[in-house]
Amino acid sequence: MTEPAPLDGVRVLDVSTILAGPLACQILGDFGADVIKIEHPKYGDNMRGHGRSKDGVPIWWKEISRNKRTVALDLKDPRGGEVFRRLARTADVIVENFRPGTFERWGLGPDVLLEENPGLVLVRLTGFGQTGPYSSRAGFGTLVEAMSGFAAATGQPDGPPTLPAFGLADSICGIAASSAITMALRHRDRTGEGQVIDMSLLEPIMAAVGPGPTVYQQLGEIGKRNGNRSTNNAPRNIYRTSDDGWVAVSTSAQRIAERVMELVGHPEVIGEPWFASGGGRAEHVDMLDDYVGGWIAQRTRDEVIDAFTEAGAAIGPVYDAKDIVEDPHIRETEMLVEVDDADLGPLLQHNVMWRMSRSPGEIRFTGRDLGQDTEEVLTDVGMAADEITELKENGVIR
């Protein structure tokens, strides 16, 4: 018998767009929060237009906005702002990602919202934070992927800096924001105090890239691009198999490195003094890559994986979407699950991000149409039917 979901009873207003904020709120909704997605009545969240569609139905939207009721509300209109304040009085969390000062111009700044709801957690998610020289700049994941050190560290040594082909910075920030929110709720539960969370896209991915700034401060060194190799250990690379597959090998642990070299037929290097540390092995990376890559190139991907697995060495195949969908471990452990969708039928989605034995999360429903729940939500907070009708007629809501 399981307990209620961990965030059951928590109400979240998702006023954010594109990815980082919506992902944070998706995670909260997956674990029981009543998430209300607020969008402009005419334009909606631009996320509705991101990614592929089927028969005009946006596929990504179905996941990023699952477990969220949708309200179409014009916050720029003073009447819409007043409706939002009524909603905010009932909320535990608000997540917004407008440029600094925007909420204040609309009369929805922290001073107003926290005065009316002292226990509110207000998350302000921007590219560069609420203060500092860059605070007013437009902030997107691409920009902070470049500024965080990620692009400079990624790519081949003789090639240009490389950006990810997906929303890496936004995703890291969204997951970090969900953690920050639960910390703030814990503080609120102890003290009754709400607070403002100043969350930038830049800081979480800077932390993920690693200690480059500290190394520079201490040693004056600037890291260089190493392709798929590592300066911390070797062999560590992507290798091609005889059937044109690819596998990734990692030897972060000393014993794993020894097992790899025994497997590929070069146990003699294990006794070399330089082999005893990851850094020492990295200094001999060309030789080690030749040994490992040459052995792998003579075998199919399945043969290589079976041999490494039997030897207790670390290896992983390079997967595309088809491989992910067909992988028996991913399916058996339900990392991907099918959910019913009114538009697309059985819809495969990423499951909730972690399993909790007593209070698990779940996908209750998929992303909904613009304004699908406006009347229901506004009725819940005490608005009369004639008020709702008037706002709809004036384009304030949909």
Side-chain angles (χ1 to χ4, degrees):
M1 187 71 177
T2 58
E3 307 288 341
L7 296 179
D8 186 51
V10 173
R11 172 167 285 184
V12 179
L13 303 185
D14 178 4
V15 204
S16 60
T17 59
I18 305 297
L19 184 53
L23 178 58
C25 294
Q26 176 207 310
I27 294 170
L28 302 178
D30 285 351
F31 287 92
D34 174 23
V35 181
I36 299 171
K37 174 71 177 178
I38 296 178
E39 305 172 74
H40 190 278
K42 183 177 180 181
Y43 306 110
D45 183 348
N46 288 331
M47 194 72 197
R48 290 181 179 271
H50 273 52
R52 302 277 287 165
S53 296
K54 180 181 179 182
D55 300 327
V57 178
I59 295 172
W60 198 356
W61 178 261
K62 292 292 185 177
E63 178 168 322
I64 198 70
S65 287
R66 69 191 187 196
N67 294 331
K68 301 178 186 181
R69 295 191 287 169
T70 62
V71 169
L73 176 64
D74 185 356
L75 300 183
K76 295 180 182 179
D77 189 302
R79 295 166 295 183
E82 177 55 38
V83 173
F84 181 78
R85 288 170 60 182
R86 292 178 68 165
L87 288 169
R89 293 179 200 124
T90 74
D92 300 283
V93 179
I94 295 174
V95 179
E96 63 98 356
N97 70 336
F98 297 99
R99 288 197 194 187
T102 301
F103 250 35
E104 285 80 354
R105 288 199 305 274
W106 294 343
L108 302 174
D111 54 337
V112 174
L113 298 177
L114 284 165
E115 181 180 358
E116 297 180 354
N117 182 355
L120 179 68
V121 174
L122 175 60
V123 184
R124 316 201 74 178
L125 201 160
T126 57
F128 304 102
Q130 296 292 313
T131 61
Y134 302 156
S135 61
S136 62
R137 289 186 181 182
F140 295 99
T142 298
L143 311 184
V144 302
E145 286 153 5
M147 296 174 66
S148 65
F150 175 86
T154 307
Q156 295 302 316
D158 57 351
T162 303
L163 294 168
F166 56 94
L168 178 63
D170 282 90
S171 297
I172 294 173
C173 185
I175 297 168
S178 71
S179 177
I181 289 165
T182 56
M183 292 179 193
L185 289 174
R186 171 66 174 153
H187 174 82
R188 195 273 308 271
D189 290 344
R190 289 203 320 267
T191 67
E193 298 173 337
Q195 61 184 296
V196 178
I197 299 175
D198 182 1
M199 192 96 194
S200 76
L201 289 175
L202 181 57
E203 283 188 90
I205 190 172
M206 280 178 57
V209 169
T214 308
V215 171
Y216 174 73
Q217 184 256 343
Q218 290 292 311
L219 303 176
E221 296 177 2
I222 298 175
K224 298 179 180 179
R225 289 186 289 283
N226 293 285
N228 293 315
R229 290 175 169 177
S230 170
T231 58
N232 298 316
N233 67 84
R236 189 266 197 185
N237 213 328
I238 300 290
Y239 305 93
R240 176 175 261 162
T241 61
S242 64
D243 55 350
D244 287 331
W246 294 91
V247 293
V249 173
S250 176
T251 58
S252 296
Q254 180 67 24
R255 185 64 187 114
I256 297 296
E258 294 171 2
R259 290 171 184 168
V260 169
M261 300 318 298
E262 290 168 353
L263 175 63
V264 303
H266 288 280
E268 73 279 2
V269 300
I270 296 173
E272 295 289 344
W274 52 262
F275 195 87
S277 70
R281 296 196 305 274
E283 293 176 357
H284 294 77
V285 64
D286 288 336
M287 179 180 67
L288 296 177
D289 266 353
D290 285 344
Y291 289 158
V292 176
W295 186 90
I296 288 174
Q298 298 173 30
R299 293 160 175 83
T300 67
R301 188 175 79 170
D302 288 346
E303 289 171 341
V304 171
I305 291 172
D306 288 345
F308 267 70
T309 301
E310 185 176 349
I315 193 168
V318 176
Y319 274 175
D320 59 20
K322 180 176 182 292
D323 295 320
I324 293 171
V325 168
E326 295 177 352
D327 181 87
H329 179 84
I330 290 172
R331 295 308 293 263
E332 184 173 325
T333 57
E334 296 188 327
M335 294 182 188
L336 298 173
V337 293
E338 283 191 353
V339 293
D340 291 328
D341 179 75
D343 299 311
L344 299 174
L347 184 62
L348 193 68
Q349 292 193 349
H350 298 97
N351 202 349
V352 299
M353 285 192 185
W354 49 85
R355 313 290 182 268
M356 299 178 68
S357 62
R358 294 296 300 173
S359 53
E362 65 174 329
I363 304 170
R364 301 184 299 280
F365 52 86
T366 58
R368 296 156 81 80
D369 294 337
L370 177 60
Q372 184 171 339
D373 305 290
T374 301
E375 292 190 28
E376 175 186 272
V377 171
L378 297 188
T379 300
D380 284 350
V381 296
M383 291 191 66
D386 57 345
E387 287 183 275
I388 295 172
T389 299
E390 182 180 356
L391 290 170
K392 185 176 291 188
E393 290 174 349
N394 285 280
V396 179
I397 65 173
R398 173 173 170 175

